[in-house]
């Protein structure tokens, strides 16, 4: 099976712009979670989508949003980019049917905000 | 609020020596525990998980971890380290069955392997 894929792998944006990142989960996985990784804050949970519904949300401002499509692919959007949004954004997929299952991570999208 | 602590930020170990990485969590209920490894520029790879049952769990790449409820710990071990084990290791915990798959991560331990 193919793993979790994320596009693009690298992105450079300017402060104030918006950005959309894409994640394709492992085939058959219906849960997609997003995490932000920075040197200062480490790995932080952004949100989780299951069956096109946001099921869980971390402590991030409303500039961070996401959605999931009927084929389980997910996108996250960050509007009005700030320098502090520079990070590695990781997507993870899981088989979850309502319980807790292991999550499989993609390679990440490295976002640099200048 | 739940938290995960990895007390060691950096560990240097000689190739062939044993390795133990510490992880402590804080929460009253039984957690679901994971260890992940991240090589430079890569995503996270799952090494092993503990959900219930036998408190000593085996993972990939020769790693094992032991869940100790009395110490709120889930330490990762490997008897003999290879140069390819140089990476950053993250302990993670999930708590709420039925409430989604939110993982809380520790700060990570960077492992350097000396030849």
């Amino acid at each position: 099976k193919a793993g979790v894929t994320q596009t693009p792998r690298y992105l450079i944006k300017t402060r104030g712009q918006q950005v959309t990142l894409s994640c394709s989960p492992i085939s058959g996985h219906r849960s997609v979670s997003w995490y932000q990784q920075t040197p200062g804050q480490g790995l932080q949970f952004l949100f989780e989508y299951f069956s096109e519904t946001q099921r869980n949300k971390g402590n991030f401002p409303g500039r961070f949003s996401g959605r999931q499509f009927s084929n389980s692919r997910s996108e996250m959007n960050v509007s009005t980019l700030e320098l502090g949004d520079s990070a590695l954004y990781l997507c993870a997929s899981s088989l979850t049917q309502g319980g807790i299952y292991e999550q499989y991570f993609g390679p990440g999208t490295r976002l640099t905000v200048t | 609020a739940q938290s995960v602590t990895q007390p060691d930020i950096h560990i240097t170990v000689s190739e062939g020596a044993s390795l133990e990485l510490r992880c402590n969590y804080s929460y009253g209920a039984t957690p679901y525990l994971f260890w992940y490894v991240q090589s430079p520029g890569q995503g996270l790879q799952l090494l092993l998980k503990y959900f219930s049952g036998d408190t000593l769990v085996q993972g990939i790449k020769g790693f094992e971890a032991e869940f100790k409820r009395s110490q709120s710990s889930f330490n990762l071990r490997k008897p003999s380290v290879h140069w390819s084990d140089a990476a950053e290791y993250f302990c993670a915990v999930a708590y709420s069955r039925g409430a989604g798959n939110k993982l809380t991560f520790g700060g990570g331990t960077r492992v350097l392997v000396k030849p």
Side-chain angles (χ1 to χ4, degrees):
Chain A
K1 264 186 186 177
V4 178
T5 57
Q6 293 187 245
T7 56
R9 291 291 312 276
Y10 302 91
L11 207 47
I12 299 175
K13 289 286 188 180
T14 304
R15 222 170 4 166
Q17 288 185 315
Q18 75 161 15
V19 66
T20 299
L21 312 181
S22 181
C23 172
S24 293
I26 292 171
S27 177
H29 286 194
R30 294 170 60 195
S31 166
V32 174
S33 298
W34 290 89
Y35 295 83
Q36 182 196 64
Q37 184 176 26
T38 60
Q41 300 299 316
L43 280 152
Q44 294 185 284
F45 173 79
L46 280 156
F47 28 66
E48 181 201 6
Y49 286 87
F50 178 72
S51 292
E52 302 179 63
T53 301
Q54 188 182 87
R55 184 162 67 170
N56 224 333
K57 189 176 189 308
N59 191 25
F60 278 82
R63 299 185 297 107
F64 292 82
S65 63
R67 60 177 174 168
Q68 187 179 35
F69 302 94
S70 58
N71 62 357
S72 295
R73 191 177 71 84
S74 176
E75 289 180 347
M76 69 161 280
N77 184 77
V78 187
S79 62
T80 320
L81 283 165
E82 300 177 359
L83 295 178
D85 297 332
S86 294
L88 180 67
Y89 289 88
L90 293 162
C91 164
S93 78
S94 160
L95 262 175
T96 184
Q97 297 290 330
I100 292 178
Y101 293 78
E102 57 265 38
Q103 295 181 46
Y104 295 90
F105 283 79
T109 294
R110 172 76 60 187
L111 172 64
T112 302
V113 182
T114 61
Chain B
Q2 54 262 35
S3 66
V4 180
T5 302
Q6 293 181 245
D8 305 303
I9 297 175
H10 296 280
I11 283 182
T12 299
V13 61
S14 297
E15 192 168 14
S18 64
L19 174 68
E20 181 167 12
L21 305 182
R22 297 182 291 164
C23 172
N24 294 94
Y25 63 91
S26 68
Y27 193 67
T30 299
Y32 301 85
L33 295 157
F34 307 83
W35 275 100
Y36 284 89
V37 61
Q38 186 178 36
S39 298
Q42 302 296 315
L44 301 173
Q45 182 182 23
L46 178 67
L47 286 175
L48 46 77
K49 65 183 187 287
Y50 173 78
F51 284 5
S52 65
D54 192 347
T55 56
L56 184 64
V57 293
Q58 303 296 321
I60 62 171
K61 303 186 179 189
F63 285 93
E64 67 177 26
E66 186 171 13
F67 171 59
K68 292 186 177 180
R69 184 189 304 275
S70 61
Q71 298 177 20
S72 296
S73 70
F74 188 56
N75 294 349
L76 182 72
R77 298 192 292 252
K78 185 168 185 177
S80 177
V81 167
H82 187 261
W83 64 266
S84 60
D85 293 321
E88 189 156 21
Y89 293 79
F90 293 93
C91 180
V93 61
Y95 288 105
S96 305
R97 180 172 282 276
N101 258 330
K102 175 183 175 180
L103 285 176
T104 299
F105 284 90
T109 298
R110 189 171 298 277
V111 173
L112 176 65
V113 180
K114 294 190 304 183

